[in-house]
Amino acid sequence: MAHGHDIDAATGVSTTGHEWDGIRELNNPLPRWWLWVFYATIVWAFLYVLAYPAIPLVTSATNGLLGWNTRSAVERDLAALAAQRGERLNVLKSASLEEIAGSPAMLAFARAAGKAAFADNCAGCHGVGAGGAKGYPNLNDDDWLWGGTLAEVQQTIQYGIRSGHDQARVGSMPAFVRDGILKREEAMVLADYVRSIAGLSVEPKADLKRGETLYAANCAACHGDAGAGNKEMGAPSLTDGIWLYGADKAAIVEGLTHGRGGVMPGWSGRLDEATIKALTVYVHTLGGGTK
C-alpha cells in the first residue's frame, strides 16, 4: 500500500510512500557510478546502431557506417580458407580415388578435409563418431547397405538414397501388412523366422517351417534365399547381427507392417567435387570400407 512521503526517523531519509507489511521503502538515490555506467550503455547502443547493421527494413537492413557484417566476414574467412587449401583441393579434384588412397600425403589431407565436411554435413544423422543410430547406419563397421568400395561410397554420397536424383540409390521395403500382402499374424510368424536365421532366440512354439515358406515367397527376392542381402537393392543381410532398426520381434514386425525406406540427400549439388572425394575417402577409412 502507499502512504504520503515522510522522513524515516531511524535514517533521516525520506520514504517513497510505499509500504509492505509495515516495511517502508526508503528513497535512496542510485549510486552515481551505476548511473554513469547506465548512461554509457545508452550512448554505446546508439553508436552501435549507427556503426553496424541493426535496423531491419522491409527487404533488407541498415548497413551501418562501418559497412561490416558477419556474413561478409564469414565469406572472407571462407575465401581465405579456400585459397589456403586451393592447391591441395585441386590435386584431389584431378586425382582418382585410388590415387588419393594410395598417396600418404593426399590421403592425410583428404581425411582431414573429409572429417570437417562430415562434421558439417553428416554428423547430424550418423553421429559425430559415425556410429549411427536407429535408422541411420553405423559407418565404422563392415556392413554396407549399398556397398563399401570407394566408388560405391562416392556414388551414395554424390546422389543419395531415394533422393529423387536420376542416379540416386533406389529400392525400399514394401509395407506388407499395411498393403494387404501379409496378415499381421503372418508377419509375426515371418519375424520369428528372420530372427532364427540371424541366430537370435525365438519362442519354442514358433512355426519356423511356415516362416520359411513366407520368407521364400515375400523376402528372398531381395534379401536372398539365405538372407545374405543384396547391395544392388540396398537389402541388408539378415544373418550378421547388424540391424538398422532393431532386432527385437516388435521392430521386425513394424518394418513388415509399414515398410522401410529412409532417405539420404545427394550432396553433388551442395558440395564441390574435391570435397565429395575427401568425404568419400574419410568415410571409407573409418574402419568399414572395402576394396
Side-chain angles (χ1 to χ4, degrees):
M1 60 183 296
H3 295 285
H5 296 253
D6 56 8
I7 302 299
D8 178 60
T11 62
V13 178
S14 65
T15 66
T16 63
H18 298 147
E19 181 180 335
W20 297 271
D21 297 330
I23 300 174
R24 294 183 297 168
E25 180 184 24
L26 300 181
N27 189 21
N28 284 314
L30 291 168
R32 188 166 296 277
W33 68 265
W34 191 95
L35 286 173
W36 282 114
V37 171
F38 177 66
Y39 297 147
T41 60
I42 295 175
V43 174
W44 173 266
F46 177 74
L47 295 176
Y48 192 95
V49 168
L50 294 178
Y52 297 99
I55 302 175
L57 304 176
V58 177
T59 58
S60 61
T62 55
N63 292 323
L65 297 177
L66 298 180
W68 182 93
N69 58 69
T70 55
R71 179 179 293 275
S72 61
V74 170
E75 289 176 349
R76 285 194 297 271
D77 290 344
L78 290 175
L81 181 62
Q84 180 181 356
R85 294 179 173 177
E87 184 176 347
R88 289 187 174 185
L89 287 174
N90 287 334
V91 171
L92 291 188
K93 186 176 180 180
S94 60
S96 69
L97 292 171
E98 289 72 22
E99 289 172 338
I100 296 171
S103 167
M106 282 196 291
L107 178 61
F109 176 73
R111 292 199 74 238
K115 183 177 182 179
F118 186 92
D120 290 339
N121 301 283
C122 314
C125 292
H126 293 283
V128 176
K134 185 177 181 179
Y136 301 98
N138 178 4
L139 303 178
N140 294 301
D141 57 29
D142 60 355
D143 189 72
W144 293 86
L145 292 175
W146 301 95
T149 66
L150 283 166
E152 289 168 337
V153 173
Q154 183 183 35
Q155 182 181 349
T156 302
I157 293 173
Q158 270 190 304
Y159 306 116
I161 301 168
R162 291 176 282 273
S163 65
H165 194 282
D166 292 341
Q167 298 184 59
R169 307 286 195 181
V170 294
S172 58
M173 178 175 167
F176 288 99
V177 176
R178 187 189 66 196
D179 295 342
I181 302 171
L182 293 174
K183 298 177 181 178
R184 182 169 179 79
E185 179 268 335
E186 292 175 319
M188 300 285 284
V189 173
L190 184 52
D192 282 328
Y193 176 74
V194 170
R195 282 178 56 83
S196 73
I197 64 176
L200 301 174
S201 61
V202 297
E203 299 177 6
K205 62 180 180 179
D207 190 349
L208 298 183
K209 189 65 177 177
R210 184 183 175 205
E212 183 179 11
T213 302
L214 289 169
Y215 179 89
N218 298 279
C219 311
C222 294
H223 293 280
D225 293 336
N230 184 346
K231 291 181 174 58
E232 291 296 321
M233 305 178 70
S237 170
L238 304 176
T239 63
D240 57 12
I242 300 175
W243 294 80
L244 187 58
Y245 293 95
D248 58 280
K249 187 173 180 179
I252 297 172
V253 171
E254 179 189 4
L256 290 168
T257 301
H258 301 292
R260 301 294 189 192
V263 175
M264 173 181 164
W267 297 98
S268 58
R270 312 182 193 194
L271 301 176
D272 59 77
E273 183 180 353
T275 302
I276 288 179
K277 285 185 176 181
L279 189 54
T280 297
V281 171
Y282 174 72
V283 170
H284 186 265
T285 58
L286 282 174
T290 58
K291 294 182 178 180

